[in-house]
Amino acid sequence: MKSWRTSVLILAGLACTYGLEKSGLVSMYILQVLMYVGINSILTLSLNLVNGYMGEFSVGHAGFMAIGAYTASIVTVWWFRNSLPLLAFPVATLAGGIMAAAASLIVAFPSFRTRGDYLAIVTLAFSMIVKSLLENIEALGGPRGFLGMNRLTSLTYVAFWTGLSVYLIRNLIYSNFGRAVLSIREDEVASNLVSVDTRKTKIIVFATAAFFAGVAGALFAHLIQFINPRTFDIRKSTDILVMVYLGGIGSIAGSVLGATVYTVLLELLRPLNVWRWVVGPLMLVALMLVRPTGIMGLREFRWFIPPEERQPARKEGGALVGASR
């Protein structure tokens, strides 16, 4: 897609979301659900980068989201004291992403010395350590949580970051660096033989995924205006995994689809109270048995594929799709 068309579409999309938010045509509840969809799309895209495109298995994404949420909250509440929101919130969002990316290096350097399921174990342990630390730091509220943030997250701001994450991850995947990432998924040994620095590639991808998880955490914290360590427990990581494998591994469109379907489904099941949280793990088990790669697994809508890499379109399940690499 030509760059000017992309720019026009992005500006039109942001204008539509701004108009929708200010028009009063939809309720605050609907706006909040739409913002959840956007935040979950960012989380799903970022985890799909590691699990779907690179072929590794990470289960501790909630830990990076927590670091981003707490970092951004500290910036806006302690440093800016909730003043100058137009300046403070973008700074806080970036700070949340950068801190999450920096924390990911602690996991990435030892984990990528080996291959196999080691990353899953380390990321799970990392997520539990982050939760335990947050519960024991009284300055951050301990188990009671951190509050005092203003509601700075808006639909337009969420749409901006969702669009930016789609754009950047799509360009990363279809770049020369992206070819190295995909080669690791297909055959890491062969990638090494053709001079791909697999360890360096894995670290960069993992840090990029953590950055976007931190951004999602910053948006989430300033939407609900209250966070506590329990928000980012293993259940949150499970929800993100379900969205990835529901929409489809190795697919940008699948990530957005999975986040949208799962978020809306949980809202529809709200009358079930705590029992609705049983749906996520059950869906994950059912998906692994019926369709392990998800709805759009390893496929992509043609709009996300560069013209020079598109294969002939075909109709499948009512959708016009082109094969992903």
Side-chain angles (χ1 to χ4, degrees):
M1 186 179 291
K2 294 182 178 179
S3 58
W4 67 269
R5 288 182 182 173
T6 306
S7 303
V8 170
L9 284 174
I10 291 172
L11 290 175
L14 291 176
C16 287
T17 54
Y18 183 79
L20 185 67
E21 191 170 23
K22 298 298 181 184
S23 65
L25 294 175
V26 294
S27 66
M28 286 298 295
Y29 172 72
I30 299 294
L31 286 176
Q32 183 137 336
V33 172
L34 290 174
M35 285 187 268
Y36 282 145
V37 168
I39 293 169
N40 286 337
S41 295
I42 297 172
L43 285 168
T44 310
L45 277 164
S46 61
L47 185 61
N48 215 338
L49 197 55
V50 177
N51 288 24
Y53 286 105
M54 196 166 68
E56 297 288 336
F57 193 70
S58 170
V59 294
H61 226 48
F64 301 117
M65 186 185 180
I67 292 173
Y70 272 84
T71 302
S73 301
I74 289 170
V75 170
T76 55
V77 176
W78 288 2
W79 291 0
F80 286 91
R81 300 185 184 282
N82 282 322
S83 61
L84 302 172
L86 290 178
L87 171 65
F89 195 34
V91 171
T93 307
L94 286 173
I98 291 169
M99 282 299 292
S104 74
L105 299 180
I106 300 172
V107 178
F109 276 107
S111 301
F112 293 134
R113 286 182 180 275
T114 60
R115 287 179 287 178
D117 299 330
Y118 192 66
L119 181 67
I121 299 168
V122 173
T123 50
L124 179 61
F126 173 79
S127 181
M128 295 172 69
I129 290 170
V130 169
K131 179 174 176 289
S132 298
L133 283 175
L134 293 174
E135 285 176 335
N136 289 282
I137 299 177
E138 280 300 318
L140 298 179
R144 298 184 304 280
F146 192 95
L147 68 166
M149 300 82 79
N150 287 334
R151 187 183 172 103
L152 301 177
T153 299
S154 65
L155 183 62
T156 308
Y157 197 63
V158 172
F160 167 77
W161 272 105
T162 305
L164 185 65
S165 61
V166 169
Y167 179 77
L168 293 179
I169 290 175
R170 179 260 192 193
N171 285 355
L172 185 149
I173 291 302
Y174 289 103
S175 66
N176 289 335
F177 179 80
R179 296 177 195 280
V181 175
L182 297 177
S183 71
I184 293 172
R185 181 184 69 191
E186 300 302 325
D187 193 326
E188 187 173 346
V189 176
S191 299
N192 269 316
L193 291 175
V194 294
S195 303
V196 172
D197 189 338
T198 55
R199 186 165 175 245
K200 180 180 177 182
T201 304
K202 286 180 178 180
I203 291 172
I204 293 173
V205 169
F206 196 66
T208 304
F211 172 82
F212 284 111
V215 167
L219 297 174
F220 179 76
H222 290 82
L223 174 61
I224 64 173
Q225 298 176 266
F226 168 73
I227 49 176
N228 66 36
R230 291 191 302 277
T231 308
F232 308 102
D233 59 9
I234 186 65
R235 191 179 67 190
K236 188 67 182 178
S237 291
T238 305
D239 286 344
I240 304 170
L241 278 173
V242 171
M243 288 186 277
V244 169
Y245 288 93
L246 174 64
I249 60 170
S251 172
I252 296 170
S255 299
V256 178
L257 177 66
T260 304
V261 171
Y262 189 65
T263 306
V264 173
L265 180 64
L266 284 185
E267 290 302 320
L268 294 176
L269 295 176
R270 191 171 284 277
L272 297 179
N273 297 320
V274 294
W275 287 102
R276 68 184 177 132
W277 298 113
V278 179
V279 173
L282 286 178
M283 285 183 69
L284 191 57
V285 173
L287 280 168
M288 291 301 99
L289 294 174
V290 179
R291 194 175 177 84
T293 57
I295 299 171
M296 293 285 295
L298 303 177
R299 296 179 300 165
E300 198 65 87
F301 280 117
R302 288 173 61 81
W303 318 312
F304 294 117
I305 303 174
E308 62 274 14
E309 299 199 20
R310 288 176 186 169
Q311 296 178 7
R314 64 184 187 281
K315 281 278 188 180
E316 188 168 307
L320 190 65
V321 299
S324 177
R325 291 177 301 157

